[in-house]
Amino acid sequence: MGHTSTAGHPTPAPKKRWYRQLYFWVLTAILIGVLLGWLAPTAGIAMEPIGTTFVNAMRMLIGPIVFLTIVGGIASIADLKKVGMTGLKALTYFQVGTICALVFGLVAINIFRLGEGVNATASTIKTTDAAAKLIDAGAHQEWWQFLTNIIPTSIVQPFIAGDILQVIFIAVVFGIALNAMGKLGAPVLDGVQRLTGVMFKILGFIMKAAPLGAFGAMAFAVGKYGVSSLTSMGGLIALFYITSILFVVVVLGSVMAFLKLNIFTMIRHFKEEYLIILGTSTAEPALPGLMRKLEHAGVKKETVGLVVPTGYSFNLDGAAIYLSLAAVYIAQATNTHLSIGQQLGLIAVMLLTSKGAAGVAGGGFIALTATLATIGTIPAAGIMLIFGIDKFMSECRALVNFTGNAVATLFIAWWDRTLDADRVRRVFAGEVVEPNPGDLPAPAPAAAVEPFQPADRHPAYSESQ
């Protein structure tokens, strides 16, 4: 196969030329988009349909891929108790991680206190129509609604609306039922595995347009929002980015070190996904790639299928840092004094409200407003103070969310004693390793079988061949 030396030791995978790498073209497209939006804002804004079309095409696949992966994982497990235990462990880890992220944001804004001196009066703050809708949605958002909304009104509606939590609920129920059928369900399970392969093949087609999507999204963002907000609120943006980087290196890096893995080699392994997130300002398009690469790295399919999609709704480290930092900044800017007890109360409320708007457009602002409305001491209209710079922080939120879910999946696999740390280390280092049995769906007839390649170079998920 050409991936071992004469001594039998694995060697790094042969790399394509730099100009044929997907990440190179995505990075180039991002830079061109920034220049177009900066130098010709009108033309940049006109590129919006290109970016939204790509993101919509990716979102089209997320529901089916999540459903098929979870069903395939659960239906193939001999002991269903393991599914429940894995889910419980994941939720426990998510809550601990969210608390750490909230505390990071809280400590950062209390140390630097960037809101002091703004002296904004809540009654005189003008809100735009777009912001007013988000404020109203947040004010009517109850902390318990994310629990009751998990159960959909129809089996099709979650796939149409893109509600990942509801898709997870349907998939878990379906997978358990299929598992309970035993041999009678085997043909259905085989079909699920083959459909999973089809979905990833479609994903491969769409990923070829990733540079166009990143170009359109970045050109629109820079053209519409400009750089004036960066100069007026640069301190808050810088604080958020620095706090997020420290969280990734210190907290998530410590978790990886505990697993005897390196956070930086993991980040390098997911470079294509990071650039897509950077270009589109959302982590959703990178979800299928994260799942595929983690499976190939040595995490069991059932663990990936359950932890990653759930983490996209419950393990939002970047959003948690943003929420605590923004809430206290608004309090400082409006001269609203918060005691230590009240700030700890903010964390308790955010543990719930941060889950309520997952996957919803403007979800960060809805969660923030819901928190402020619940506390009642910080004026909700104060979100207008940061409304103009939110776009410049959304990329960072998405990148941290993505990183947090990758680390969480590896940790839960270790907790379940199913993590092959040596394999993960080798894959992250770029070596070619033999496939896991669960890496790919059920094989096609012998004549149609393609030689296996690692997930980041497999035709079902790779750049142009």
Side-chain angles (χ1 to χ4, degrees):
M1 294 177 61
H3 62 271
T4 56
S5 65
T6 54
H9 297 295
T11 58
K15 294 183 178 180
K16 294 181 180 180
R17 295 183 182 274
W18 57 270
Y19 57 81
R20 297 191 64 190
Q21 297 282 358
L22 175 63
Y23 70 84
F24 166 76
W25 289 107
V26 172
L27 183 59
T28 302
I30 290 173
L31 293 175
I32 295 173
V34 170
L35 289 174
L36 179 63
W38 177 37
L39 300 176
T42 303
I45 293 173
M47 298 297 106
E48 180 184 15
I50 299 176
T52 55
T53 299
F54 172 75
V55 173
N56 289 339
M58 292 295 295
R59 285 176 173 167
M60 169 186 72
L61 296 178
I62 290 174
I65 286 177
V66 168
F67 175 81
L68 292 169
T69 305
I70 292 177
V71 169
I74 293 177
S76 59
I77 295 177
D79 186 3
L80 282 179
K81 290 182 180 179
K82 291 183 179 179
V83 177
M85 287 303 299
T86 298
L88 184 60
K89 291 173 182 176
L91 291 176
T92 301
Y93 176 92
F94 294 162
Q95 289 299 83
V96 173
T98 301
I99 291 173
C100 290
L102 289 170
V103 170
F104 250 69
L106 205 64
V107 170
I109 195 62
N110 273 284
I111 291 175
F112 293 95
R113 309 189 70 82
L114 297 179
E116 290 186 349
V118 176
N119 297 322
T121 304
S123 59
T124 62
I125 297 176
K126 295 181 180 180
T127 57
T128 62
D129 291 339
K133 291 178 181 178
L134 295 175
I135 292 173
D136 182 67
H140 293 88
Q141 178 81 42
E142 300 292 344
W143 64 267
W144 42 262
Q145 285 183 340
F146 80 95
L147 292 173
T148 58
N149 289 341
I150 288 178
I151 302 176
T153 55
S154 75
I155 201 169
V156 178
Q157 184 266 339
F159 295 92
I160 298 174
D163 192 318
I164 297 300
L165 275 178
Q166 293 184 349
V167 171
I168 293 172
F169 175 81
I170 295 173
V172 169
V173 174
F174 191 96
I176 292 173
L178 186 59
N179 185 293
M181 291 181 66
K183 292 183 179 179
L184 290 176
V188 178
L189 177 58
D190 181 67
V192 166
Q193 293 171 334
R194 292 176 184 274
L195 279 174
T196 304
V198 173
M199 289 295 107
F200 275 101
K201 179 64 72 173
I202 297 173
L203 172 68
F205 298 152
I206 295 176
M207 283 299 297
K208 296 180 188 301
L212 282 176
F215 161 75
M218 189 59 68
F220 168 75
V222 176
K224 182 174 177 63
Y225 299 99
V227 294
S228 59
S229 296
L230 286 173
T231 57
S232 62
M233 299 285 285
L236 183 60
I237 296 171
L239 179 62
F240 175 63
Y241 272 76
I242 293 171
T243 304
S244 298
I245 292 171
L246 287 174
F247 177 82
V248 169
V249 174
V250 175
V251 177
L252 299 183
S254 296
V255 175
M256 291 290 284
F258 173 78
L259 301 176
K260 295 181 172 59
L261 299 172
N262 189 298
I263 186 75
F264 298 108
T265 59
M266 186 198 78
I267 290 173
R268 183 176 59 195
H269 183 66
F270 291 113
K271 57 182 178 292
E272 287 90 355
E273 285 73 22
Y274 280 113
L275 286 173
I276 291 170
I277 293 170
L278 182 64
T280 60
S281 298
T282 175
E284 288 182 350
L287 185 149
L290 174 62
M291 297 173 71
R292 192 68 168 184
K293 287 186 175 182
L294 283 175
E295 282 183 36
H296 176 64
V299 183
K300 286 189 175 296
K301 185 175 183 178
E302 53 268 25
T303 303
V304 171
L306 190 60
V307 177
V308 173
T310 308
Y312 261 61
S313 292
F314 286 90
N315 188 40
L316 307 176
D317 293 333
I321 295 171
Y322 167 80
L323 284 176
S324 59
L325 190 150
V328 178
Y329 173 83
I330 293 171
Q332 293 172 356
T334 56
N335 297 315
T336 304
H337 175 72
L338 293 178
S339 66
I340 297 298
Q342 287 174 315
Q343 293 190 37
L344 293 177
L346 271 177
I347 291 180
V349 173
M350 285 177 180
L351 282 172
L352 299 171
T353 56
S354 61
K355 312 296 189 296
V360 178
F365 273 111
I366 292 175
L368 178 58
T369 310
T371 303
L372 302 185
T374 302
I375 296 296
T377 55
I378 307 172
I383 71 167
M384 282 305 300
L385 298 172
I386 58 173
F387 191 76
I389 62 170
D390 181 70
K391 180 62 183 175
F392 296 102
M393 296 195 281
S394 60
E395 288 91 351
C396 187
R397 285 201 302 265
L399 290 168
V400 177
N401 291 343
F402 178 90
T403 307
N405 282 310
V407 174
T409 308
L410 293 168
F411 183 83
I412 299 305
W414 169 86
W415 199 349
D416 276 343
R417 299 182 180 180
T418 60
L419 180 67
D420 186 345
D422 180 65
R423 180 187 176 91
V424 174
R425 217 173 286 115
R426 291 164 58 202
V427 171
F428 284 179
E431 296 178 8
V432 174
V433 297
E434 294 298 325
N436 277 320
D439 267 353
L440 295 172
V449 172
E450 298 178 356
F452 178 85
Q453 300 179 51
D456 56 341
R457 275 179 281 277
H458 193 274
Y461 180 65
S462 68
E463 57 268 35
S464 300
Q465 300 300 307

